[in-house]
Amino acid sequence: MEIFIQQLVNGLFLGSIYALMALGYTMVYGIIKLINFAHGDIYMIGSFIGYFLINQFNMGFFPALLLSMIGSAILGVVIEFLAYRPLRNSTRIAALITAIGVSYLLQNTMIYFFSSTTRPFPQVIPLQTYRIGFLQVSNIQLLILGLSLLLMILLNLIVQKTKMGKAMRAVSVDADAAQLMGINVNRTISFTFALGSALAAAGGMMIGLYYNSIEPMMGYIPGLKSFIAAVLGGIGLIPGAAIGGFVIGLIETLTTALGFSDFKDAVVYAVLILILLVRPAGILGKNIKEKV
């Protein structure tokens, strides 16, 4: 039972990373109905930016985190401008295939320039372990949870309280009507990509610090799991993405606690299939009837 509860606590820390990434998926889908499969690779590039800033310029974790988020936000805007914007009026399958292509392009570009070898992420924050009864948590885990919650709160404030957030909500409801009301749709979509990419970069740096390793393929599986988290919570809904991320983290760690660590990925994918069969709209989503 003690191991089970410990794994529950570990699942909250892991789930906070999935939640950050799932927010990027759900924001982009909510506005332009695109599944950005390159999102996991931006998470990977964010961790590499942080790695080089810390190693080459002896930066602290937080300045490197901020610059990594800014760099990844710029990358997200460039990807949207070059790859997705020209296909905005094309079929969804064309945009989906393009997203998959961008994902492989980013992966292979990083492998070409930096090789596929795993690199140790610099441990700029000394590891400390705290015991609360039989529970054991580290300062790194607390940092991950605290930063993730802070970023989620800031995201919610941006979406709910700022002019750009109001524009994002308007474009997600009806882009054409929003444009008629004077909203710059292109700028709003670019801002959404920048915001989602910044969150992914933060997740990549924190997971690099947590596992002490990064490599060019590290974004593939977490990217898929974050997409599952977004679907689980209700794709297109920001609170749903956050809930879905924590649920996926808990499912993964509980599977490990029960002795099925080799099948944890399969269990997560099975949850996706089950959700699509039982409640396709997700936990917070609503089924919408459409007239033919």
Side-chain angles (χ1 to χ4, degrees):
M1 179 57 69
E2 292 180 1
I3 295 175
F4 184 80
I5 296 174
Q6 178 69 58
Q7 290 296 339
L8 274 177
V9 174
N10 293 342
L12 289 175
F13 302 124
L14 181 61
S16 64
I17 301 293
Y18 290 143
L20 279 182
M21 293 184 65
L23 288 169
Y25 274 109
T26 208
M27 284 192 300
V28 170
Y29 182 85
I31 287 186
I32 61 173
K33 300 297 182 287
L34 168 71
I35 302 299
N36 180 21
F37 281 115
H39 193 62
D41 301 289
I42 294 174
Y43 155 96
M44 173 268 296
I45 289 173
S47 69
F48 268 84
I49 293 174
Y51 168 86
F52 282 107
L53 288 174
I54 294 170
N55 267 355
Q56 301 299 322
F57 301 100
N58 296 317
M59 282 191 180
F61 178 78
F62 293 103
L65 175 69
L66 181 61
L67 290 176
S68 173
M69 291 174 70
I70 293 171
S72 297
I74 294 170
L75 176 62
V77 171
V78 170
I79 289 172
E80 188 276 326
F81 180 77
L82 295 178
Y84 300 145
R85 189 174 297 183
L87 298 173
R88 196 171 293 164
N89 297 319
S90 301
T91 60
R92 287 193 186 180
I93 191 67
L96 180 64
I97 292 171
T98 301
I100 295 171
V102 171
S103 172
Y104 279 104
L105 174 65
L106 293 176
Q107 287 176 19
N108 286 278
T109 299
M110 293 297 288
I111 289 172
Y112 178 80
F113 285 106
F114 302 108
S115 80
S116 59
T117 56
T118 300
R119 298 165 182 257
F121 195 87
Q123 297 299 287
V124 285
I125 299 178
L127 180 65
Q128 295 180 357
T129 303
Y130 308 105
R131 286 191 173 275
I132 306 171
F134 59 85
L135 291 178
Q136 181 175 310
V137 296
S138 70
N139 59 331
I140 303 297
Q141 289 176 318
L142 294 174
L143 173 68
I144 288 172
L145 183 60
L147 267 178
S148 299
L149 292 175
L150 175 63
L151 290 171
M152 290 180 208
I153 292 170
L154 288 175
L155 172 66
N156 189 62
L157 290 175
I158 289 171
V159 172
Q160 298 295 332
K161 303 296 183 181
T162 67
K163 187 175 180 180
M164 183 58 77
K166 187 181 291 186
M168 289 169 62
R169 286 182 280 132
V171 172
S172 69
V173 174
D174 192 324
D176 293 331
Q179 191 165 17
L180 290 173
M181 296 300 293
I183 294 173
N184 189 323
V185 173
N186 286 333
R187 185 188 303 163
T188 304
I189 292 171
S190 293
F191 180 79
T192 304
F193 270 85
L195 209 53
S197 299
L199 294 178
M205 275 200 66
M206 287 190 285
I207 212 70
L209 186 68
Y210 184 56
Y211 287 120
N212 190 27
S213 65
I214 58 171
E215 47 96 11
M217 296 296 292
M218 65 178 281
Y220 179 68
I221 297 298
L224 285 178
K225 289 180 181 177
S226 301
F227 166 62
I228 292 170
V231 174
L232 176 62
I235 191 77
L237 300 172
I238 289 177
I243 292 171
F246 282 107
V247 170
I248 292 298
L250 289 170
I251 290 171
E252 187 172 323
T253 51
L254 288 179
T255 304
T256 302
L258 294 172
F260 299 101
S261 59
D262 292 340
F263 304 100
K264 62 182 181 180
D265 293 344
V267 170
V268 172
Y269 300 140
V271 168
L272 172 63
I273 295 170
L274 186 62
I275 286 296
L276 292 176
L277 290 174
V278 176
R279 189 174 174 80
I283 295 172
L284 299 184
K286 296 180 180 179
N287 292 318
I288 299 173
K289 295 180 180 179
E290 295 182 359
K291 292 183 179 180
V292 179

